[in-house]
Amino acid sequence: MTTLPQAKVQASALALLPLIVFLAIFLGSGIYHTIIGTEFAFYQVKAPIAALPAIILAILLYKGKINSAIEAFLNGASHPNLILMFMVFMLAGAFASVTSSIGSVDSTVQFGLSIIPPTFVLPMLFVISAFIATAMGTSMGTIAACAPIAFGFSQATAIQPIYAIGAVVSGAMFGDNLSMISDTTIAATRSLNVELRDKFRVNIWIALPAAIITIMIYFLTSHQSQLIEYKSYNLWLIVPYLAVFFLAFTRLHVLAVLTIGIILSVLIGLVAKPELDLLKLNNAIYDGFMGMFEVALLSMFLGGLSAIMQKEGGLEWLIQRIYSATRRFNIGRQRAGEIGISFLVIFSNLFVANNTVAIILSGDMAREVAKEYGVDPKRAAAFMDIFSCVIQGIIPYGAQLLLACSIAKLSPMELISSIYYCWVLAIFAVLAIAFRFPKLK
């Protein structure tokens, strides 16, 4: 029987109390605002603010001087991986904002609409949403751009709104999971210290079959519809997305890829949109920075909090519990580790209702579990991203479903069953763990 190696620090469940406090504040606020009927209930209390009491508690519980606890927090918050993650978040937000301001989103949507066969609305809604989300790196931006059009389709055809909106959300979650500039991809790869392209190569073998099955389901449930009208579009405005998409597969650093994408977007915007000037594009870039500031700040807060918990033995205690729970089953150490990592991000996502935050929250623990169980970091990063997107796409209090349902005047509980891709992706991810595919060299 495999034995657990000697712990480097003394395991302590008490060290996890600050994390529980953070989740209690964030989750408790969400439940309260849900009860009183507040829109976007789980987003009323900002996550970085909810993290402050947890950080204070962690410093007070630290077995040592307060100054030493603060230094431990600062060392964790300023880790090179977190600084890189912060920079990537900022540039990804700027790219999404400036491309939206020059009309790239609208042109991409209208281009997709121009090639949709009239009887294949649902499959093409999925494909268009998947492409846009992969290019933009955001499911929220994709839903905001495509859901109104999908709802319009349902009003003009025999397609029920839950299917049209479900196809958009499904495609958005596909792109969110696979995009090289998605904050979930960035958080997962930085947490496990792996390259974006390596995580993608694992992820694609699980996500693509799930997407193909989803498209087949939409083909089988397609409705006859009239020819879809579309507005004029400018193909040049799609170029920044294509450039970033293809550059992401090269060995060029992600910061360079995003910087090139921003510069290219600005230049194309100045030429294609005479009404835009450098000042307006400057404001768009800054708005992108501000849009990512919350998740970037939270990543630094949680990085510092994780450093204190790790030093105090909290992460070691959690790893031992996962080890004890999984070794009872004769499924192999690597499978047990992958299951443990998956459950870490699943429960984190259920608590915080934000897939990026869930990955950041469980990232340090997942990295330690991967080391303990001999899990390839590329697989660990892929499963973290996959299961965070699965949960985020089907929880009724998540921002994605709330946004989609607010546009289409639907109930989130009604829409859950129509998010086919997330359910199919979950099945393929479980099969990937069970049968150990894809095989890595």
Side-chain angles (χ1 to χ4, degrees):
M1 179 182 293
T2 305
T3 58
L4 184 66
Q6 182 68 32
K8 295 180 181 179
V9 295
Q10 183 177 0
S12 171
L14 183 62
L16 292 175
L17 184 59
L19 177 60
I20 295 173
V21 168
F22 167 70
L23 295 176
I25 294 172
F26 196 84
L27 184 63
S29 168
I31 293 174
Y32 168 75
H33 284 284
T34 299
I35 293 174
I36 65 175
T38 306
E39 290 188 0
F40 294 94
F42 281 79
Y43 296 85
Q44 295 302 307
V45 172
K46 300 301 181 183
I49 304 302
L52 289 177
I55 293 170
I56 294 171
L57 179 60
I59 292 174
L60 293 176
L61 292 176
Y62 188 81
K63 297 183 183 71
K65 296 181 179 180
I66 289 182
N67 286 355
S68 298
I70 293 174
E71 288 178 4
F73 172 82
L74 293 176
N75 287 335
S78 61
H79 191 280
N81 282 340
L82 282 174
I83 298 300
L84 175 59
M85 191 186 300
F86 188 99
M87 291 297 297
V88 174
F89 282 151
M90 293 292 103
L91 290 177
F95 176 73
S97 178
V98 73
T99 50
S100 177
S101 68
I102 68 174
S104 293
V105 175
D106 291 337
S107 285
T108 303
V109 171
Q110 297 304 325
F111 170 72
L113 297 180
S114 70
I115 60 174
I116 294 181
T119 57
F120 295 152
V121 173
L122 291 178
M124 292 308 294
L125 278 175
F126 174 83
V127 171
I128 291 171
S129 300
F131 174 77
I132 293 174
T134 304
M136 291 179 62
T138 167
S139 54
M140 289 292 288
T142 302
I143 292 171
C146 297
I149 298 172
F151 184 61
F153 289 168
S154 68
Q155 299 300 297
T157 67
I159 299 175
Q160 295 185 33
I162 59 170
Y163 296 126
I165 299 298
V168 167
V169 176
S170 291
M173 299 316 296
F174 171 87
D176 197 332
N177 178 212
L178 277 184
S179 175
M180 294 289 192
I181 60 171
S182 166
D183 47 6
T184 58
T185 296
I186 295 164
T189 53
R190 288 299 93 204
S191 296
L192 275 298
N193 297 324
V194 300
E195 295 292 334
L196 291 170
R197 60 181 178 273
D198 292 332
K199 176 261 185 188
F200 180 87
R201 288 167 183 160
V202 177
N203 210 154
I204 190 67
W205 286 102
I206 302 170
L208 186 58
I212 292 172
I213 295 297
T214 302
I215 291 172
M216 291 175 61
I217 293 173
Y218 285 128
F219 270 122
L220 294 175
T221 57
S222 289
H223 300 73
Q224 295 292 326
S225 65
Q226 63 192 49
L227 186 63
I228 302 166
E229 296 183 0
Y230 60 91
K231 300 177 183 178
S232 61
Y233 56 86
N234 187 340
L235 283 175
W236 281 106
L237 296 177
I238 305 175
V239 170
Y241 291 149
L242 296 176
V244 168
F245 184 78
F246 287 110
L247 284 174
F249 288 94
T250 68
R251 293 187 177 274
L252 198 60
H253 197 285
V254 61
L255 295 181
V257 171
L258 289 170
T259 301
I260 291 172
I262 293 170
I263 294 173
L264 187 60
S265 300
V266 169
L267 294 176
I268 291 176
L270 290 173
V271 174
K273 297 284 185 176
E275 67 274 16
L276 292 177
D277 55 29
L278 284 176
L279 184 59
K280 291 180 179 178
L281 293 171
N282 161 77
N283 292 335
I285 293 173
Y286 186 75
D287 288 343
F289 288 160
M290 295 304 296
M292 283 290 189
F293 181 74
E294 180 180 341
V295 69
L297 179 62
L298 180 63
S299 68
M300 299 185 74
F301 279 179
L302 293 182
L305 184 62
S306 295
I308 295 178
M309 292 192 300
Q310 186 169 6
K311 207 163 187 178
E312 290 293 283
L315 301 185
E316 186 64 36
W317 182 87
L318 189 59
I319 291 170
Q320 289 181 6
R321 301 287 79 73
I322 294 174
Y323 181 88
S324 299
T326 54
R327 70 174 180 171
R328 299 173 186 173
F329 304 98
N330 186 25
I331 57 176
R333 292 183 74 245
Q334 291 181 335
R335 288 190 182 90
E338 289 173 358
I339 291 172
I341 290 168
S342 300
F343 274 108
L344 278 175
V345 76
I346 286 172
F347 283 112
S348 296
N349 210 145
L350 288 172
F351 280 127
V352 301
N354 185 303
N355 46 350
T356 306
V357 174
I359 292 172
I360 295 171
L361 190 61
S362 55
D364 286 338
M365 291 178 268
R367 185 169 61 250
E368 294 300 318
V369 171
K371 290 180 182 177
E372 175 64 34
Y373 286 82
V375 176
D376 189 299
K378 295 186 287 292
R379 287 178 63 87
F383 286 124
M384 285 188 72
D385 200 347
I386 286 170
F387 281 105
S388 70
C389 284
V390 166
I391 298 302
Q392 188 66 25
I394 60 176
I395 52 175
Y397 49 86
Q400 284 77 2
L401 262 65
L402 291 174
L403 175 61
C405 290
S406 66
I407 292 172
K409 305 298 186 294
L410 296 171
S411 163
M413 295 301 296
E414 184 182 11
L415 185 61
I416 290 173
S417 61
S418 300
I419 315 296
Y420 298 142
Y421 173 72
C422 289
W423 297 106
V424 177
L425 179 62
I427 294 172
F428 272 89
V430 171
L431 292 175
I433 294 175
F435 295 101
R436 301 288 304 152
F437 75 86
K439 301 295 183 182
L440 300 175
K441 294 183 181 179

